[in-house]
Amino acid sequence: MKKSDAACSAIHAASSETQVITAIRHYLSTLEASEVALLPREIVDFGLGHTEDAVQSALYLVHTQMLRLGDTPEAAMLNDVTLVFSTAARRLAALAKDTT
């Protein structure tokens, strides 16, 4: 199973915002230095202090991914990370809806 698939599974199973952020942090910690080097510097530097950070990162990654379409290792890595962050953003939205 790909790391991004495992992360998305953990995110889907999360029952709180904290669990979603923990799943993203775990995913990022499993990336090799060579994989992290393929990510936009803004994502690496941004951090995940709050749920809003995950949503902002997801939107930034989607935008970046749309600009870098192609068949390169960078595009493939960006696709995986975009999948994880966009899955987290959707889950966070669902959790927020459940609490209001």
Side-chain angles (χ1 to χ4, degrees):
M1 176 181 278
K2 289 173 54 173
K3 293 181 237 183
S4 58
D5 292 339
C8 288
S9 292
I11 290 166
H12 283 298
S15 59
S16 71
E17 292 179 356
T18 301
Q19 290 175 344
V20 172
I21 298 301
T22 299
I24 296 171
R25 285 182 178 150
H26 176 73
Y27 167 70
L28 292 174
S29 75
T30 66
L31 299 179
E32 302 291 331
S34 60
E35 293 172 316
V36 172
L38 298 172
L39 300 177
R41 189 83 233 153
E42 295 83 356
I43 297 302
V44 177
D45 292 341
F46 198 57
L48 288 172
H50 305 285
T51 57
E52 293 84 6
D53 298 341
V55 174
Q56 186 171 349
S57 293
L59 295 172
Y60 181 83
L61 283 162
V62 168
H63 174 73
T64 304
Q65 178 67 13
M66 289 180 350
L67 296 175
R68 295 188 185 172
L69 296 176
D71 190 24
T72 65
E74 181 181 22
M77 189 65 221
L78 241 118
N79 187 52
D80 284 353
V81 175
T82 299
L83 174 66
V84 170
F85 274 87
S86 60
T87 299
R90 287 191 311 272
R91 184 67 181 138
L92 289 167
L95 289 168
K97 181 180 176 187
D98 290 343
T99 60
T100 57

